[in-house]
DNA sequence: CCGCTTAAAATGTCTATACAATAAGTCTAG
DNA sequence: CTAGACTTATTGTATAGACATTTTAAGCGG
């Protein structure tokens, strides 16, 4: 991370280090741009760029006339990466397969969709090395992705297919736990009442909802992990 | 978001809009800095600043000599905000209380800590409106936060107290589901075998682990939600 | 047609300067 | 002592120019 070239990057990294190792504490005022300009013997714009980046990343807060201050540590945040199944399997050397168990066009129920609008309903079972790993129930608004009508989802699972067909969407995620009722338990090869880790994701594009998916994972076979660092390690 | 002042901000926002609404598609080449300089009738540095910001946010990819391209949409990511209990309760108008049920100094077991090092072990029950909402088991490395020895955790829960005493740490989160075994079930007033949503968080500062906490939530009373937008809505 | 060199296009960074915007501090009148 | 006006320190943004860096593309010799 410190291998970046450039004076501005060096200043940025050095100040970041001072903040992260506690030398400069939250609330403390840091030197002004002019002082840093002198210390590093460079142009003010160069210092400014370094500080602007630190401010954008939330490590410092800047106020005109008052100066720059080390920010208070943020409320705990976690950046979850919801991996693509195929990708995840590849990483762990497992074989991934999926199977569409239901495919049906239905009118939208009340809720997030415009009632009555045509939707595609899919049920899909995901397996890692032939063992059921996730159960997916998905609704897709056909008007948002007309091509979905002819998609067969044989090579790609619906989620992966959509990622390629709906660029730059927004999503809302909800993670919860539940106990398996009979239908899901049978699909996932669990006993009724087993704990499930559930992920619901609704995806939007250009103001309209695109898809609403619920994924259920056997508790002992899946977990979400996230590393959060103040420095948003890239 | 578009209320920012300035030419660079305006250019940034306009290009962002073109990408998000699909006018400029992933992979597509966007105009060069020089072309944009002409289009917006401003200095190259101004355009550069706008594009650099878009690149940092991951909406475009820039390659010298080749040009700038709309990036492929990222793998699904979700930014989870793990709210402070007290804060969360205040937001929903509930009354939050916590109770320390165990406090004990123990030598570190094998694992993430240096074996044998003195730790503080805490068990804590969190309640919303007197109803058990979360069960916390926490280890704190005393050497990392010596002040913890004298902290009483009467007004503040351990997590909140630590946030104030350990600035700018890093953390790793793990979310899973489980079924309640007897001890936890009793604390949370659940029947055995009920589904739990579990969060484990390990926090580091300056190279050393600070605390390792496991939180268990009754499945039907808690969920994590996260909104992800390409635009990292602040 | 291949591999090497060379030119050039595009982005990356820095400098120096100017002026704008904000808000903390200071002074003054009452 | 306080309200309001003024000063000024500090950050925010823009400009124009210079040079560095990277990598595609072109040209050329074999």
């Amino acid at each position: 991370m410190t291998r970046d070239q450039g004076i501005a990057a060096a200043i940025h990294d050095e100040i970041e280090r001072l903040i992260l190792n506690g030398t400069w504490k939250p609330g403390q005022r840091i030197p002004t741009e002019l002082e840093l300009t002198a210390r590093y013997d460079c142009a003010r714009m160069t210092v400014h760029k370094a500080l602007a980046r630190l401010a954008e990343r939330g490590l410092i807060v800047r106020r005109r006339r008052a100066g720059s201050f080390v920010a208070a540590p943020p409320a705990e945040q976690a950046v979850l990466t919801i991996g693509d199944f195929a990708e995840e399997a590849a990483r762990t050397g497992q074989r991934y397969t999926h199977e569409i168990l239901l495919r049906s066009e239905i009118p939208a129920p009340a809720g997030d969709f415009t009632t009555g609008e045509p939707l595609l309903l899919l049920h899909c079972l995901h397996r890692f090395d032939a063992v059921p790993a996730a159960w997916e129930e998905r609704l897709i608004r056909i008007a948002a992705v007309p091509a979905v009508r002819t998609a067969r989802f044989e090579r790609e699972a619906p989620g992966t297919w959509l990622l390629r067909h709906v660029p730059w969407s927004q999503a809302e995620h909800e993670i919860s736990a539940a106990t398996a009722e009979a239908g899901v338990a049978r699909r996932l090869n669990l006993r009724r009442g087993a704990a499930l880790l559930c992920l619901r994701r609704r995806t939007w594009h250009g103001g309209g909802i695109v898809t609403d998916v619920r994924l259920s994972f056997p508790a002992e076979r899946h977990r979400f992990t996230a590393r959060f660092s103040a420095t948003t390690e890239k």
Side-chain angles (χ1 to χ4, degrees), chain A:
Chain A
M1 195 207 319
T2 319
R3 61 193 52 119
D4 279 359
Q5 225 62 310
I7 306 172
I11 298 174
H12 171 278
D13 288 350
E14 182 162 336
I15 294 178
E16 177 188 48
R17 202 173 44 77
L18 290 170
I19 293 175
L20 291 185
N21 73 17
T23 308
W24 290 357
K25 299 203 181 345
Q28 179 175 335
R29 188 174 194 268
I30 74 176
T32 66
E33 293 189 352
L34 240 53
E35 287 164 344
L36 291 169
T37 295
R39 177 180 311 182
Y40 290 100
D41 190 29
C42 64
R44 183 169 79 93
M45 272 299 290
T46 307
V47 169
H48 179 76
K49 195 177 163 191
L51 295 187
R53 175 132 195 262
L54 286 166
E56 196 163 303
R57 292 183 44 204
L59 271 87
I60 65 174
V61 172
R62 317 199 69 195
R63 278 174 25 232
R64 279 169 169 155
R65 162 74 222 227
S68 304
F69 303 81
V70 178
E76 286 291 352
Q77 284 194 338
V79 181
L80 271 194
T81 305
I82 315 276
D84 183 67
F85 285 118
E87 209 172 277
E88 196 171 325
R91 213 165 359 105
T92 61
Q94 293 178 291
R95 195 173 112 79
Y96 166 75
T97 55
H98 71 275
E99 186 182 352
I100 305 286
L101 294 178
L102 173 68
R103 179 199 179 108
S104 144
E105 288 194 24
I106 60 168
D112 294 322
F113 298 93
T114 307
T115 309
E117 195 174 21
L119 302 181
L120 185 64
L121 169 64
L122 295 170
H123 284 185
C124 180
L125 181 62
H126 304 265
R127 291 194 179 90
F128 279 24
D129 279 344
V131 179
W135 171 246
E136 167 178 345
E137 304 177 45
R138 181 186 291 271
L139 290 170
I140 302 171
R141 194 174 117 241
I142 294 175
V145 209
V148 82
R149 270 207 152 105
T150 58
R152 300 263 45 121
F153 308 121
E154 276 163 3
R155 278 181 35 205
E156 284 179 319
T160 313
W161 187 92
L162 279 172
L163 250 186
R164 287 201 304 107
H165 286 75
V166 185
W168 285 107
S169 48
Q170 305 188 326
E172 189 174 296
H173 295 82
E174 200 176 275
I175 297 170
S176 58
T179 49
E181 39 80 23
V184 178
R186 196 174 65 242
R187 306 297 194 184
L188 289 175
N189 209 10
L190 302 170
R191 61 177 202 292
R192 270 183 59 184
L196 297 175
L197 187 57
C198 304
L199 171 68
R200 180 183 184 191
R201 170 163 65 222
R202 281 173 295 175
T203 304
W204 312 72
H205 178 70
I209 192 167
V210 174
T211 183
D212 178 349
V213 57
R214 291 153 205 264
L215 290 162
S216 303
F217 306 87
E220 64 287 351
R221 278 185 54 79
H222 200 83
R223 48 195 52 212
F224 298 115
T225 63
R227 179 162 299 215
F228 168 74
S229 66
T231 126
T232 316
E233 210 106 329
K234 287 207 229 184

